[in-house]
Amino acid sequence: MRQIPVDTSAATVMVAKPAQPKVRDRRTGEIALDADGVKLMTVDVMFAANDDVEILSITVPETGVSGDLAMGTPVALTGLIARPWENEFNGQKRHGIAFRAVAVTSLAASGAKAA
């Protein structure tokens, strides 16, 4: 499957919703794990670039979530990729773009030290 690297250098990225476990199966409540067995988390971020703002849900391993990720916290997204997806369920086709990062790191601590 194709993966597209996303350049975040010219974007402003802030937490819109703090990290939560990614649910693999809503019926059973099973939490999603990556290939290494690490729990996956979802962080919703406000991604502002080129005079446009979107809320993106980023999947990240639990070990890649660092710092206090409260709403409004500026963050860095390390290794962000976009992956197009498509599936069919009950005869309906759906498609979209999934976002995955190696790490979501709070930038608030580094800014607080400079003040």
Side-chain angles (χ1 to χ4, degrees):
M1 185 176 289
R2 185 172 47 151
Q3 296 182 13
I4 304 163
V6 179
D7 179 12
T8 61
S9 61
T12 299
V13 185
M14 295 193 312
V15 174
K17 185 176 180 184
Q20 297 182 353
K22 181 177 176 111
V23 178
R24 178 179 177 174
D25 187 333
R26 291 182 197 156
R27 293 172 299 182
T28 65
E30 179 185 0
I31 302 300
L33 304 175
D34 69 8
D36 297 324
V38 176
K39 182 165 70 168
L40 293 174
M41 305 295 284
T42 301
V43 180
D44 289 355
V45 299
M46 179 203 73
F47 191 94
N50 302 320
D51 296 326
D52 193 21
V53 177
E54 290 193 42
I55 301 295
L56 304 178
S57 290
I58 311 292
T59 298
V60 62
E62 185 176 40
T63 54
V65 176
S66 62
D68 181 20
L69 299 183
M71 187 184 316
T73 303
V75 291
L77 302 173
T78 304
L80 182 64
I81 57 138
R83 179 183 295 166
W85 61 267
E86 181 177 275
N87 64 26
E88 187 171 336
F89 184 73
N90 288 338
Q92 290 190 339
K93 288 188 178 184
R94 298 180 49 176
H95 63 276
I97 299 173
F99 294 92
R100 171 109 186 218
V102 173
V104 177
T105 308
S106 171
L107 298 176
S110 60
K113 289 178 186 174

